[in-house]
Amino acid sequence: GQDYFKEDPFSTSTTRTRSDKNFFYGDAKSLGKNRKNNSPLGLYLQLSDGSGYGFSAAFAVPLSPGGGIQTSAYLPLKSFLRADRNGYQCRRCILDTTKINGMGIHVVFQRGRFKVRINSITAVEKPVSFKSPEIPFRTVQEVEKIIFDTVFSSVHLYHRNHIELCISKYWSLLNTLLESSGVVTDAVKGGFV
């Protein structure tokens, strides 16, 4: 796997992998994580098709009770909608899935230290779902803090027009609460579904 580690207040981390034209024709991501923070880490997986634009799909590394827990995320090809080049966003550009020639992983505009290991990126033919790691919350204040931290950490992303990352972080938080134990009771979880 590839390790990504960044300590800058606002971080961007990129890797590029060249591949043959048919390397990525499916839609699943596997990732490991080690982030001791109180909000999910939002990332982009970006595919290149030779057009000069990168096409990104957002996903989040969920919270976990400790570092080093492996988690997974599913991204359908139709979710690679954010087309951009050098900060210019193209709303009419469409990924040509027959010409994919590279990929990158990006973390943008999020404060704090993080370490992510991408264990694999796998093509699949059918949708896959994954559960978030279970977190045993001991107090209501712990739950309130991760909600506050996730919203607070998403504000800067929203103002920079990275709304997809905000959504992926909020969705990850919701899944964390649904899988959690302790003070988040089944009665409270029933309100989420």
Side-chain angles (χ1 to χ4, degrees), residues 15-181:
T15 187
R16 290 264 178 220
T17 303
R18 297 282 303 168
S19 62
D20 64 10
K21 289 184 180 181
N22 295 319
F23 181 81
F24 191 88
Y25 54 90
D27 46 21
K29 318 290 147 286
S30 293
L31 51 119
K33 77 149 207 79
N34 183 6
R35 180 175 160 121
K36 294 178 181 174
N37 195 317
N38 287 320
S39 71
L41 177 66
L43 297 98
Y44 282 122
L45 176 64
Q46 185 178 67
L47 302 177
S48 304
D49 65 359
S51 66
Y53 286 92
F55 297 85
S56 299
F59 65 103
V61 177
L63 296 169
S64 68
I69 293 178
Q70 183 168 323
T71 61
S72 299
Y74 167 76
L75 297 172
L77 277 175
K78 66 182 181 182
S79 67
F80 288 85
L81 297 174
R82 184 183 180 92
D84 55 26
R85 172 177 50 200
N86 300 326
Y88 170 75
Q89 197 170 355
C90 178
R91 300 201 190 284
R92 292 180 288 151
C93 297
I94 298 172
L95 173 66
D96 184 345
T97 59
T98 65
K99 295 183 179 180
I100 294 172
N101 62 2
M103 68 176 59
I105 302 285
H106 302 276
V107 176
V108 297
F109 305 116
Q110 295 171 78
R111 290 187 180 270
R113 305 173 107 194
F114 65 88
K115 182 177 182 181
V116 177
R117 175 175 288 242
I118 305 298
N119 294 320
S120 66
I121 297 175
T122 307
V124 296
E125 294 180 12
K126 295 180 181 178
V128 183
S129 64
F130 303 99
K131 290 186 174 187
S132 292
E134 181 180 329
I135 297 179
F137 292 108
R138 293 182 302 271
T139 66
V140 172
Q141 289 77 18
E142 286 180 338
V143 175
E144 290 172 347
K145 181 166 177 29
I146 70 155
I147 293 170
F148 175 83
D149 287 351
T150 302
V151 171
F152 183 79
S153 70
S154 299
V155 168
H156 193 71
L157 292 170
Y158 181 84
H159 289 298
R160 296 248 181 192
N161 201 28
H162 291 279
I163 296 163
E164 306 92 341
L165 286 175
C166 296
I167 293 168
S168 69
K169 288 170 63 101
Y170 295 148
W171 189 252
S172 178
L173 173 63
L174 178 61
N175 285 321
T176 295
L177 294 174
L178 288 172
E179 294 299 325
S180 66
S181 60

